[in-house]
Amino acid sequence: MDEQAPIDFDDISRRMDRAITALSSDLGGLRTGRASASLLDPIQVEAYGSRMPLNQVATVSVPEARMISVQVWDGSMASAVEKAIRESNLGLNPVIEGNLFRIPIPELNEERRQEMVKVAHKYAEKTRISVRHIRRDVMDQLKKAEKASDISQDDARTLSDQVQKLTDEAIRNVDDTLSTKEAEIMQV
C-alpha cells in the first residue's frame, strides 16, 4: 500500500480551515457598537422539529444604526425566535410587536465589552475543540493503518508529526483570530 494513502493532508487542512472560517463568521456577528444583521447569524432557532439559522425563519434588517429588526414569517415561530435571541449570550433584549421584533443594540460599556469577549472566547474554544476532534480522528486512522500493517511504525510517527504541525498551526490561527477580535471589542 502507498505510504501516504491513509492520510489526506489536503482534506485535513480543508476541514480545519472550515472550522476557522466558521469561527470568523461567528466572531463577525459580535459587533462593537453598530447594529448589523450579521450579529444574529450565529443564532439557531428550534423550528419545525430541527434547529435552523434565524435568517431561515425571519427577515433580519437594520432600520437604524442602533436597532435590528426581525420580521418572523410564521407567527407560530415568534416565541421560539424570542427564546433563541434571549438565550444567545449576545445580551440582546427584543421588544416584541406581534411578528416583528425590535432589538435595540446596547451601548458598549466596559461590562458589555467584557461579556462580548467572553462570548468570543467560547466561540474560539468551540473551534479549538473541533480542530482537536479532526486531529483525533486522523490519529485513530493512523493507529488502525499501523495495526493493520498498512504503514510502518516510523511512517506512522512521521505522519503523526505532520498532523500535529497542521493542528498547531490551526490552533495558532484560532488564537490570532480571537486576539484580533478581542482587541477590536476592547477599543474605546
Side-chain angles (χ1 to χ4, degrees):
M1 180 178 221
D2 178 17
E3 292 176 0
Q4 299 299 329
I7 303 299
D8 180 355
F9 285 99
D10 290 338
D11 181 55
I12 296 166
S13 291
R14 246 189 323 276
R15 289 169 60 196
M16 289 182 179
D17 288 346
R18 247 182 289 159
I20 293 167
T21 301
L23 171 66
S24 295
S25 173
D26 287 347
L27 291 179
L30 290 178
R31 293 290 171 227
T32 54
R34 286 186 55 88
S36 167
S38 65
L39 178 65
L40 304 181
D41 283 352
I43 296 178
Q44 297 281 313
V45 179
E46 193 67 42
Y48 311 113
S50 65
R51 297 191 64 73
M52 305 173 88
L54 176 64
N55 62 10
Q56 289 185 9
V57 296
T59 302
V60 180
S61 60
V62 181
E64 51 190 87
R66 303 196 65 72
M67 180 76 63
I68 298 175
S69 171
V70 177
Q71 178 70 49
V72 180
W73 300 327
D74 180 354
S76 66
M77 297 303 307
S79 62
V81 169
E82 178 187 7
K83 181 179 178 191
I85 292 170
R86 290 190 191 279
E87 293 176 354
S88 68
N89 290 327
L90 295 175
L92 302 174
N93 292 308
V95 177
I96 300 128
E97 299 168 5
N99 288 356
L100 179 67
F101 293 74
R102 295 189 191 282
I103 306 170
I105 303 301
E107 284 289 331
L108 281 183
N109 57 24
E110 189 64 25
E111 181 182 331
R112 179 82 181 111
R113 290 177 197 273
Q114 293 296 336
E115 285 176 26
M116 290 180 76
V117 167
K118 286 179 187 173
V119 171
H121 278 271
K122 285 181 191 172
Y123 289 158
E125 186 56 28
K126 184 176 80 172
T127 304
R128 286 187 202 103
I129 290 168
S130 295
V131 167
R132 290 184 194 119
H133 282 303
I134 295 166
R135 178 190 63 195
R136 185 197 62 218
D137 292 346
V138 173
M139 294 301 200
D140 288 347
Q141 287 176 344
L142 281 174
K143 287 177 188 166
K144 287 177 185 169
E146 183 183 346
K147 194 171 190 172
S149 299
D150 291 338
I151 60 173
S152 69
Q153 192 173 9
D154 288 342
D155 287 342
R157 192 173 298 120
T158 301
L159 292 171
S160 173
D161 289 345
Q162 289 175 316
V163 170
Q164 186 59 49
K165 283 179 187 167
L166 281 175
T167 303
D168 292 344
E169 182 181 327
I171 297 290
R172 232 182 343 270
N173 286 343
V174 169
D175 293 341
D176 291 347
T177 303
L178 174 63
S179 63
T180 300
K181 187 62 177 187
E182 192 171 347
E184 181 185 319
I185 292 169
M186 294 310 290
Q187 276 181 356
V188 178

